[in-house]
Amino acid sequence: MLRVAVVGSGPSGCYTAQSLVQQDAQVRVDVLDRLPCPYGLVRYGVAPDHEKIKSLQNNLRAILEHERVRFLGGVAVGPSGVSVARLRELYHAVVYCVGAATDRRLGIPGEDLPGSWSATEFVSWYSAHPDFPGQGGTPTDDGFLRGVGSAVVIGVGNVAVDVTRMLARGVPELSPTDVPHAALTALGVSRVTDIAMVGRRGPSQARFTTKELRELGILPDTGIAVDRAELAQDPAYADPSGLPAPQRRNVEVLRGWAETPAPSARRRIRLRFFLRPVELLARDGRVGAVRFERTVPDGHGGVTGTGAYEDIEAQLVLRSVGYRGVALEGLPFDASGGTVPHLAGRVLREGAVAPGEYVAGWIKRGPTGVIGTNRPCAKETVASLLADTAALVRRDVPGDPLVALRTEGIEPVEWAGWRAIERAEAELGASLGRNVVKLPDWASLLDAARRTGA
Ligand code: NAP
């Protein structure tokens, strides 16, 4: 029997587990996660108002409930938990599906001023990620939004669209979702009326997808504003027919908005282009504006600076310029791409295949693509792993790795513990007159996980 550990229970980890049990009737898979909760970015990254995408959790649940798959939550892999070397001893093979855990930096002055946050911090807050320091605060905790009238979102990817949309959402739309109660309350009393989402290149290079872009145009009590002259600097604006379909559709939506000015509304989202951030400016000890340099297309899809500048006022800045993989002690790491070097999913150590070690998902290919992109990615890795089976099973491993982990003082949150967390979240929601509401901090998650007999 082949024993495999999958590290990470997000989409790439779950799809890896699924692919393994579907293709090999003998394999047993433990899916380890640092958190006591499964599903990775589906639980802690997909915006709460994207309920259809969130419902993918049901598909991932079925995978983790497979009879030969076991969820082991609350197990950190690395120096603070089970080392990479120890994991390798406990299993015939280990597949790292640890994603891209941090955000890219802008590297400009003022980036760390109070009021300037990475989009991942804002996402963690409204997703109730237990590592976000504000979690468990008072229900009126509004550290992001207090005193904020204008916000700037830097970047024009789907995360930028998510955080822009969430800034414009009110209680009626968010209350039915699982957004934590503190974030719901803070967003409910938010006075943000002006949100600028800013790209350094043109509309035909924007990274958001059209479905997500369109949603910005149908938010209640929110108008959308674009500047036709600014958009028209993009050579493809006048005639987008030569663009690949995803970019063409984006440009068409933006053209539509330019032609039909939005009726006046309480909030306004401005989509700006050809502005690259150069500095965050302070006012009264916190961010007050973002200075951008105007850019022009360079004819090769990039831009060049013009030496002209524009300041956009903002008491809140969300830097949404992409995720970045983090090195895991004991695993090789390519710092330039934030990924683990690999050959079709087989980890490479100094250029040579490391037997029994594999990667899938963002730590393998970088932080791009939608959730479904992880399926073929996982399949490729699993094909490599299963092709190696004969060599892998030659090595003896302990009968049940869970027994060894427990002997070493590690007490994972198993599936029953996770189900207990789900029950506690349903109870919390009921007590607040809402549906399921997420528990926002480690203490309440672990406390709920212990109530497995309930
Ligand atoms: P992304 O798609 O890579 O977008 C990053 C944005 O930041 C780009 O507009 C990029 O501009 C900009 N940027 C990078 N460095 C910059 C700098 N120094 N100054 C100014 N702008 C800079 O990343 P993401 O939005 O974090 O999304 C990550 C992945 O998750 C994507 O594949 C996305 O589609 C996916 N996702 C999907 C959904 C959904 O399906 N609903 C939701 C969220 C995330 P350049 O292009 O000029 O570099």
Side-chain angles (χ1 to χ4, degrees):
M1 186 221 307
L2 181 66
R3 277 201 182 272
V4 180
V6 170
V7 183
S9 65
S12 64
C14 288
Y15 291 142
T16 298
Q18 182 181 45
S19 202
L20 280 164
V21 292
Q22 277 176 349
Q23 291 181 57
D24 183 327
Q26 296 300 316
V27 71
R28 286 194 177 268
V29 185
D30 283 346
V31 179
L32 280 57
D33 205 294
R34 192 172 71 76
L35 296 175
C37 313
Y39 312 138
L41 276 184
V42 177
R43 178 173 161 93
Y44 287 118
V46 172
D49 61 334
H50 271 174
E51 279 159 326
K52 193 155 169 239
I53 309 181
K54 283 258 171 218
S55 70
L56 260 174
Q57 291 188 15
N58 296 328
N59 303 22
L60 303 185
R61 166 194 300 277
I63 297 168
L64 294 177
E65 286 184 339
H66 188 281
E67 58 184 358
R68 283 179 286 119
V69 176
R70 185 167 59 175
F71 172 70
L72 302 179
V75 180
V77 173
S80 61
V82 194
S83 72
V84 162
R86 181 67 182 132
L87 208 54
R88 183 76 191 86
E89 288 166 5
L90 293 175
Y91 293 89
H92 292 116
V94 185
V95 188
Y96 292 91
C97 303
V98 292
T102 193
D103 50 281
R104 275 198 213 125
R105 301 277 298 168
L106 283 172
I108 59 173
E111 186 167 7
D112 295 316
L113 277 171
S116 162
W117 303 83
S118 69
T120 47
E121 288 171 306
F122 190 62
V123 170
S124 292
W125 173 66
Y126 67 58
S127 302
H129 196 297
D131 281 349
F132 182 72
Q135 300 296 7
T138 65
T140 52
D141 170 29
D142 59 353
F144 286 100
L145 305 170
R146 197 178 306 123
V148 177
S150 306
V152 162
V153 177
I154 299 175
V156 284
N158 277 332
V159 172
V161 176
D162 277 348
V163 298
T164 298
R165 195 181 65 254
M166 285 296 291
L167 279 174
R169 286 275 189 217
V171 170
E173 303 121 81
L174 290 177
S175 187
T177 73
D178 65 3
V179 73
H181 214 56
L184 176 72
T185 310
L187 287 162
V189 297
S190 157
R191 307 218 160 171
V192 177
T193 52
D194 204 323
I195 308 156
M197 188 172 116
V198 187
R200 61 181 172 180
R201 298 190 287 158
S204 63
Q205 285 95 32
R207 306 282 273 269
F208 43 61
T209 40
T210 313
K211 185 169 159 287
E212 277 62 31
L213 175 65
R214 279 204 186 102
E215 266 185 283
L216 293 180
I218 52 167
L219 293 170
D221 214 6
T222 304
I224 196 117
V226 289
D227 176 358
R228 190 199 303 248
E230 191 171 85
L231 296 176
Q233 285 182 57
D234 190 320
Y237 180 74
D239 177 13
S241 61
L243 291 172
Q247 285 76 30
R248 174 174 52 72
R249 286 194 291 262
N250 282 345
V251 173
E252 283 166 358
V253 170
L254 292 164
R255 277 165 56 115
W257 287 339
E259 279 152 26
T260 324
S264 71
R266 195 166 71 82
R267 283 199 195 88
R268 185 173 62 150
I269 295 174
R270 285 182 296 150
L271 263 61
R272 301 292 313 271
F273 292 94
F274 295 111
L275 291 170
R276 78 169 163 222
V278 291
E279 186 175 359
L280 272 64
L281 307 174
R283 197 168 300 153
D284 301 329
R286 52 174 294 131
V287 71
V290 185
R291 176 158 296 165
F292 292 94
E293 181 181 14
R294 286 178 198 278
T295 62
V296 287
D298 65 3
H300 308 286
V303 285
T304 49
T306 61
Y309 295 87
E310 176 177 338
D311 295 350
I312 303 182
E313 186 188 313
Q315 300 80 41
L316 169 68
V317 174
L318 297 177
R319 310 178 311 265
S320 183
V321 294
Y323 290 93
R324 213 186 129 64
V326 174
L328 179 59
E329 195 174 301
L331 258 200
F333 189 64
D334 171 3
S336 61
T339 52
V340 170
H342 72 96
L343 189 67
R346 293 179 177 97
V347 170
L348 295 175
R349 289 184 181 271
E350 287 165 17
V353 166
E357 292 178 310
Y358 303 83
V359 279
W362 278 2
I363 197 66
K364 171 184 172 187
R365 58 174 210 278
T368 57
V370 292
I371 293 169
T373 317
N374 290 298
R375 270 178 185 278
C377 177
K379 269 196 180 152
E380 181 195 54
T381 296
V382 168
S384 297
L385 191 158
L386 294 179
D388 299 342
T389 303
L392 294 172
V393 293
R394 248 178 255 138
R395 195 166 53 84
D396 280 340
V397 295
D400 184 352
L402 183 54
V403 175
L405 287 175
R406 287 208 174 111
T407 317
E408 289 160 31
I410 291 162
E411 201 51 64
V413 172
E414 294 188 67
W415 196 247
W418 160 242
R419 295 306 303 263
I421 291 174
E422 285 190 305
R423 280 196 299 278
E425 295 191 332
E427 283 162 20
L428 174 63
S431 74
L432 296 165
R434 297 176 54 198
N435 299 328
V436 169
V437 171
K438 278 185 189 161
L439 297 172
D441 57 88
W442 277 97
S444 47
L445 287 168
L446 294 177
D447 184 49
R450 276 191 286 271
R451 286 185 266 136
T452 49

